[in-house]
């Protein structure tokens, strides 16, 4: 993990226990082996330390040989399991509104996951970026999100609407062809890609959805907003990200960011450390998402992207791009 995630919400722990029970495994036994107890993790607002979660998923994948516990959990979850968030999703006016909800509230469900939604004339591309998780835990969260998107697609179609999702892309190799086919259905999928993403048909995604309820939608969104405000209150990291978004065409500097947030560079650095991150990590995460959008979605040239991101020298941008995506921007396109 490149940063430190303090804890992972465990509000799906009982659904996860049921999924594993169908495979003949006891989640309680797995947790006991890691000095954790299912009783404490299944209470309201319970959380699991990130290192314990990492160990649990690695144990299931490596020792118990479960190809994708994330796909299995995501496939088992229904909208009712997501509370007010699920209610908002199922009553969204359009498919794009559903995706925008996921983008806004994903941090309530999965720490460290960020979505970047970009539009072209025919498609909407939702890039999924992982700030912290690696290997088995990374795949767990991406797979769970994929299965949730596939479930959303099925619900939309069953209500008499056209499919909205065209393709899933994953940044890891294929692992279980039968399982991924069963969950994705008619959605195309590609493995070993530079980033994880979801591609939507723009016409279908922006069309009004049959069966949506605007009153329930507004009510559920208001509840989600209250929870989001509670969790992000006074978070310096959130304020810094808002600053980045408002200054898209300038290379972010620590001095300017600290001044905009009305604090010294030292104070900003100290506050970010308390939240498990630092200025460089936050800036790189922002620039990575922006570079992906400009190069891959908007089809700008490498030089244009470098200029747009505020790099005076395109070669500096190329080096940064390789550090983010492990390939040069020319090969990535």
């Amino acid at each position: 993990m490149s940063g430190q995630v303090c804890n992972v919400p465990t509000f799906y722990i009982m659904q996860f226990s049921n999924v594993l029970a169908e495979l003949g495994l006891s989640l309680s036994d797995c947790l006991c082996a890691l000095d954790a107890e299912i009783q404490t993790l299944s209470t309201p607002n319970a959380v699991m330390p990130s290192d314990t979660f990492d160990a649990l998923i690695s144990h299931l994948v490596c020792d118990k040989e479960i190809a994708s516990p994330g796909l299995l959990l995501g496939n088992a979850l229904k909208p009712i399991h997501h509370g007010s968030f699920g209610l908002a999703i199922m009553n969204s006016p359009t498919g794009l509104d559903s995706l925008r909800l996921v983008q806004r509230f994903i941090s309530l469900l999965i720490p460290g996951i960020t979505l970047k939604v970009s539009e072209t004339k025919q498609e909407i591309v939702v890039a999924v970026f992982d700030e912290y998780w690696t290997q088995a835990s990374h795949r767990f969260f991406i797979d769970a999100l994929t299965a949730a998107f596939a479930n959303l697609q099925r619900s939309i179609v069953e209500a008499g609407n056209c499919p909205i999702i065209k393709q899933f892309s994953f940044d890891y190799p294929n692992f279980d062809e039968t399982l991924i086919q069963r969950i994705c259905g008619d959605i195309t999928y590609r493995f070993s890609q530079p980033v994880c993403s979801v591609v939507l048909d723009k016409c279908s995604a922006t069309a009004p959805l049959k069966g949506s309820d605007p009153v329930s939608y507004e009510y559920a969104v208001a509840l989600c907003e209250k929870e989001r405000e509670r969790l992000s209150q006074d978070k310096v990291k959130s304020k810094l990200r808002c600053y980045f978004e408002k200054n898209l065409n300038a290379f972010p500097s620590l001095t300017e960011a600290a001044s905009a947030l009305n604090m010294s560079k030292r104070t900003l650095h100290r506050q970010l450390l308390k939240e498990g991150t630092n200025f460089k990590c936050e800036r790189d995460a922002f620039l990575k998402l922006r570079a992906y959008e400009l190069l891959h979605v908007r089809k700008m040239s490498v030089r244009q992207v470098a200029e747009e991101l505020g790099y005076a020298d395109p070669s500096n941008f190329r080096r940064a791009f390789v550090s983010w995506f492990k390939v040069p921007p020319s090969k990535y396109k």
Side-chain angles (χ1 to χ4, degrees), residues 201-246:
D201 177 85
K202 189 171 184 178
C203 182
S204 299
T206 55
L209 289 175
K210 299 176 183 177
S212 64
D213 179 354
V215 175
S216 296
Y217 172 75
E218 295 295 339
Y219 171 74
V221 170
L223 292 178
C224 291
E225 287 289 359
K226 287 183 179 179
E227 180 65 9
R228 182 175 179 273
E229 289 173 6
R230 183 183 71 81
L231 293 177
S232 63
Q233 188 175 18
D234 297 328
K235 285 258 184 174
V236 173
K237 180 168 67 174
S238 300
K239 296 176 182 178
L240 181 61
R241 292 182 179 183
C242 287
Y243 167 75
F244 289 157
E245 289 293 340
K246 292 178 181 178

Side-chain angles (χ1 to χ4, degrees), residues 35 54 68-69 91 112 120 129 148 161 182 188 202 212 225 246 261 264 312 321:
D35 296 323
D54 264 333
S68 178
N91 286 284
T120 65
F129 291 94
N161 301 285
R182 177 165 64 86
T188 301
K202 189 171 184 178
S212 64
E225 287 289 359
K246 292 178 181 178
L261 297 181
S264 68
F321 194 93

Side-chain angles (χ1 to χ4, degrees), residues 163-176:
I164 63 171
I165 300 176
K166 297 169 56 178
Q167 178 181 288
F168 291 125
S169 293
F170 306 94
D171 63 358
Y172 43 83
N174 196 353
F175 49 87
D176 190 326

Side-chain angles (χ1 to χ4, degrees), residues 71-312:
L71 275 179
L72 295 174
L73 175 63
N75 191 51
L77 291 173
K78 306 303 178 187
I80 192 174
H81 297 137
H82 300 286
S84 56
F85 178 72
L87 181 63
I89 288 290
M90 296 312 299
N91 286 284
S92 298
T94 69
L96 179 57
D97 288 319
S98 294
L99 266 295
R100 290 292 188 188
L101 282 176
V102 178
Q103 181 188 30
R104 184 162 180 78
F105 299 116
I106 189 67
S107 61
L108 301 182
L109 309 173
I110 308 176
I113 298 293
T114 303
L115 270 59
K116 179 70 174 180
V117 180
S118 306
E119 300 184 33
T120 65
K121 290 183 178 180
Q122 284 87 29
E123 296 179 338
I124 297 171
V125 180
V126 185
V128 185
F129 291 94
D130 188 341
E131 300 176 41
Y132 304 116
W133 306 100
T134 58
Q135 301 178 354
S137 294
H138 166 73
R139 203 174 78 188
F140 176 87
F141 285 125
I142 298 299
D143 287 348
L145 189 58
T146 297
F149 280 140
N151 280 342
L152 174 62
Q153 172 105 310
R154 279 190 286 273
S155 298
I156 287 174
V157 172
E158 288 171 0
N161 301 285
C162 294
I164 63 171
I165 300 176
K166 297 169 56 178
Q167 178 181 288
F168 291 125
S169 293
F170 306 94
D171 63 358
Y172 43 83
N174 196 353
F175 49 87
D176 190 326
E177 188 72 23
T178 301
L179 181 60
I180 195 72
Q181 282 183 352
R182 177 165 64 86
I183 290 176
C184 288
D186 295 331
I187 302 172
T188 301
Y189 49 88
R190 301 168 63 196
F191 288 90
S192 300
Q193 300 301 303
V195 297
C196 299
S197 65
V198 185
V199 179
L200 286 69
D201 177 85
K202 189 171 184 178
C203 182
S204 299
T206 55
L209 289 175
K210 299 176 183 177
S212 64
D213 179 354
V215 175
S216 296
Y217 172 75
E218 295 295 339
Y219 171 74
V221 170
L223 292 178
C224 291
E225 287 289 359
K226 287 183 179 179
E227 180 65 9
R228 182 175 179 273
E229 289 173 6
R230 183 183 71 81
L231 293 177
S232 63
Q233 188 175 18
D234 297 328
K235 285 258 184 174
V236 173
K237 180 168 67 174
S238 300
K239 296 176 182 178
L240 181 61
R241 292 182 179 183
C242 287
Y243 167 75
F244 289 157
E245 289 293 340
K246 292 178 181 178
N247 295 271
L248 293 177
N249 297 323
F251 189 81
S253 75
L254 176 60
T255 300
E256 292 173 348
S259 176
L261 297 181
N262 297 314
M263 60 180 70
S264 68
K265 293 188 293 183
R266 188 180 184 86
T267 299
L268 176 57
H269 177 71
R270 187 171 60 250
Q271 292 297 323
L272 290 173
L273 284 180
K274 287 182 180 180
E275 296 177 15
T277 186
N278 59 57
F279 182 80
K280 184 179 184 304
C281 285
E282 292 302 312
R283 181 175 63 187
D284 283 354
F286 165 75
L287 292 174
K288 178 180 178 180
L289 267 66
R290 185 78 173 136
Y292 170 85
E293 177 186 12
L294 297 176
L295 189 69
H296 187 68
V297 180
R298 298 193 183 180
K299 309 299 183 182
M300 295 174 65
S301 70
V302 174
R303 179 172 292 277
Q304 287 174 325
V305 175
E307 292 176 355
E308 189 78 12
L309 295 182
Y311 284 90

